[in-house]
Amino acid sequence: MEKERFLKKKKKVSKIYHIIQCVLFFCILLCGCVVGFLMPLRPKVSDLEKRTLTEFPKFSKQGFLDGSYLKDMDTWYADTFPFRDQLLAVNSDIQELYGLRGQQIHGGGNNTGDEIPTAAMTTAESKEPETTVVESSSAQTTTEQTAAPQVHGSIYVDGKQAYGIYYFNLDAANLFIDTVNRMANGLKDQATVYAMMIPDNSGILLSESRQKEIGGSDQRAAIDYYYKSMDDKVVPVLIFDALYEHREEKIFFATDHHWTALGAYYSYQQFAKAKDIKAHELNEYEKMSFPNFIGSYYSSTQANELKNNPETVDAYIPLSTNRMSITEKSGNQLNWPIVNDVSSYQPGNKYSCFIGGDNPYSVIDNPNISDGSTCLVIKESFGNAFVPFLVDHYQKVIVVDYRYYNENLIQLAKENHVTDVIFANNIEAISGKESMTKLNSMVQ
């Protein structure tokens, strides 16, 4: 009898405990939902992923009836949940704790690039004797490394330094080459067209044996193919060897895929040689520095070695003006600094100090020059750090990011009496066939 009473009491207590658990669970869930719908707490931009998050969907009767509105609501709710970056970072730390992230190097990465056609002719870039590149001391810290080198997709992480793995795409390359050639022929009586092929950091900082180990394409050979396939009217801006000569300096970031302003400066010097003008000395510029930068390689890999290695973004203000006109993706126009003070920006957004980041269309007017010289720069984000060095050499600099601009580039050049066109493009960025098809369609 005593045992039965004990069992009934235990069952009753267990039931009450279960009810309390359910109530607490649903209270926490309800609180989470309430917090989730608090608009002031919902982020609009992910610093971790470096993208604009999903906007709140606009209601429509048709969308409600066909279910698309509720689907968009679900996407918005999940994509903009409060503290999402912090939660993603915690998840990444847990994955690293259990060894779930990354892939150790065992005979290279999972991807392969297309075979690079043998160059029919050589450029000055390829006439240099082949040398074995020793990883620069500024990029490598092998004596301090504790984690084994790992490949994360197309990113190779070795200690505090990450590298992009470049994969040559023949179709995309031919589309880009055709675009540059048609631009040169379409403006043959008006403008000079320059092509500046920008390598990834792995092509400059890593040895040839390490590049083969991680499975990347030969960047020097790829760049040579681009140049030898371009029309004689196109003037090549040969920067590979210049960057290689300065590989011991901070010409690429360790946590981000971009080059630094210093790398862009050495390339500007090569452009000045190609154009036969005098480049300004680096010490002529006022320098601004923005510490605590953690870039795209970290946001893509979530490697703690990169997170714990914040960098400084240096920028050099043009001598003649620091103002420009920006047309944003929304169509909104802004008067903006060419080099902006981003001291208060989040760690992942400090590269946007250059020309306001990536915008479809921007214009810089130089008040000190009135000779009608106008330059059109066709770029993606690598061009951002390069543009400020051009400002002092032209009356007007027009900047187009082909990823967001949709108008005819030849027509744009003719309407603005452009005298120089510069394609300033990173070879990895122009390896996508879809984006190169879009760029090619803009040159008619």
Side-chain angles (χ1 to χ4, degrees):
M1 182 68 69
E2 188 68 25
K3 185 176 181 180
E4 289 180 1
R5 284 200 299 269
F6 174 77
L7 291 174
K8 286 182 179 179
K9 185 177 180 180
K10 183 178 180 181
K11 186 176 181 180
K12 185 177 180 181
V13 171
S14 178
K15 186 176 181 179
I16 293 173
Y17 180 70
H18 180 68
I19 291 173
I20 292 174
Q21 281 184 313
C22 291
V23 171
L24 286 174
F25 172 77
F26 283 109
C27 285
I28 293 172
L29 189 64
L30 179 61
C31 289
C33 290
V34 171
V35 170
F37 276 104
L38 291 177
M39 297 296 288
L41 294 179
R42 302 193 73 90
K44 295 181 179 180
V45 176
S46 172
D47 185 55
L48 196 63
E49 299 173 301
K50 294 179 178 55
R51 66 178 178 90
T52 302
L53 301 175
T54 305
E55 295 183 356
F56 189 84
K58 186 177 181 180
F59 178 81
S60 70
K61 182 178 178 181
Q62 180 61 35
F64 181 78
L65 293 176
D66 64 22
S68 61
Y69 176 75
L70 294 178
K71 184 178 179 180
D72 291 343
M73 275 287 292
D74 182 63
T75 301
W76 165 81
Y77 184 85
D79 199 41
T80 62
F81 196 83
F83 315 112
R84 69 182 305 278
D85 277 6
Q86 291 86 341
L87 293 172
L88 287 173
V90 170
N91 178 65
S92 173
D93 291 340
I94 293 173
Q95 286 184 336
E96 186 168 273
L97 180 65
Y98 285 94
L100 299 177
R101 273 200 297 106
Q103 168 193 350
Q104 289 194 16
I105 298 290
H106 296 290
N110 297 323
N111 299 323
T112 57
D114 293 339
E115 182 178 350
I116 302 172
T118 303
M121 67 180 195
T122 57
T123 65
E125 293 273 274
S126 63
K127 291 179 182 177
E128 295 288 330
E130 289 296 325
T131 56
T132 300
V133 182
V134 179
E135 284 87 343
S136 66
S137 58
S138 63
Q140 296 291 323
T141 53
T142 52
T143 57
E144 302 175 6
Q145 292 172 14
T146 57
Q150 294 187 341
V151 168
H152 303 252
S154 60
I155 301 172
Y156 168 56
V157 180
D158 190 1
K160 297 179 180 179
Q161 173 76 45
Y163 306 87
I165 306 176
Y166 168 66
Y167 300 107
F168 178 75
N169 184 305
L170 182 59
D171 289 340
N174 288 337
L175 282 166
F176 181 80
I177 290 164
D178 182 64
T179 300
V180 176
N181 287 344
R182 286 200 283 122
M183 194 77 175
N185 283 285
L187 298 172
K188 61 182 179 181
D189 297 323
Q190 175 183 326
T192 302
V193 174
Y194 298 85
M196 186 170 72
M197 312 304 299
I198 307 171
D200 276 356
N201 64 349
S202 58
I204 300 297
L205 303 180
L206 286 179
S207 65
E208 293 178 5
S209 60
R210 185 56 60 88
Q211 291 181 57
K212 291 179 181 178
E213 186 181 358
I214 63 178
S217 300
D218 185 333
Q219 295 188 42
R220 184 188 287 273
I223 290 173
D224 189 46
Y225 174 73
Y226 276 103
Y227 283 142
K228 69 91 179 177
S229 303
M230 290 178 182
D231 194 280
D232 291 340
K233 299 181 184 66
V234 179
V235 178
V237 181
L238 309 177
I239 67 172
F240 192 99
D241 292 328
L243 292 173
Y244 178 79
E245 289 173 4
H246 294 279
R247 66 193 178 279
E248 294 290 338
E249 302 172 46
K250 189 70 174 180
I251 57 174
F252 289 98
F253 291 108
T255 69
D256 188 77
H257 67 285
H258 294 106
W259 57 3
T260 65
L262 183 60
Y265 173 78
Y266 290 133
S267 300
Y268 151 71
Q269 287 183 318
Q270 297 305 114
F271 169 74
K273 289 181 181 179
K275 185 174 170 58
D276 194 22
I277 57 175
K278 180 177 173 56
H280 290 290
E281 297 297 327
L282 197 60
N283 59 15
E284 295 181 56
Y285 300 100
E286 177 186 350
K287 183 170 80 169
M288 297 183 70
S289 297
F290 311 106
N292 198 32
F293 172 57
I294 303 174
S296 59
Y297 283 151
Y298 167 68
S299 63
S300 297
T301 66
Q302 294 292 281
N304 277 332
E305 298 90 346
L306 304 181
K307 179 182 179 181
N308 297 327
N309 184 36
E311 305 176 89
T312 296
V313 179
D314 291 328
Y316 299 90
I317 300 175
L319 305 177
S320 52
T321 181
N322 194 36
R323 304 305 301 182
M324 64 187 300
S325 172
I326 289 175
T327 301
E328 297 182 300
K329 302 178 187 71
S330 64
N332 185 42
Q333 291 189 343
L334 300 173
N335 185 289
W336 200 258
I338 297 170
V339 174
N340 186 37
D341 186 348
V342 295
S343 302
S344 62
Y345 284 28
Q346 292 297 310
N349 290 333
K350 293 183 184 291
Y351 186 79
S352 63
C353 65
F354 303 109
I355 66 170
D358 297 326
N359 296 285
Y361 181 79
S362 304
V363 177
I364 303 169
D365 289 309
N366 185 340
N368 298 336
I369 298 179
S370 57
D371 60 2
S373 57
T374 302
C375 175
L376 170 61
V377 182
I378 301 168
K379 60 88 184 178
E380 63 282 318
S381 58
F382 261 77
N384 297 2
F386 174 69
V387 167
F389 297 112
L390 300 175
V391 173
D392 299 307
H393 299 283
Y394 294 93
Q395 181 177 337
K396 178 180 291 187
V397 177
I398 301 172
V399 184
V400 165
D401 192 317
Y402 63 84
R403 298 169 297 177
Y404 312 112
Y405 189 77
N406 297 309
E407 305 300 322
N408 188 297
L409 292 173
I410 291 181
Q411 183 177 345
L412 174 68
K414 289 182 176 180
E415 289 176 352
N416 287 276
H417 307 289
V418 165
T419 52
D420 286 340
V421 176
I422 305 174
F423 284 87
N425 304 99
N426 169 249
I427 58 174
E428 176 62 33
I430 58 174
S431 292
K433 185 176 179 180
E434 183 177 349
S435 60
M436 290 302 96
T437 298
K438 176 183 185 295
L439 176 60
N440 189 265
S441 70
M442 295 160 61
V443 180
Q444 302 292 340

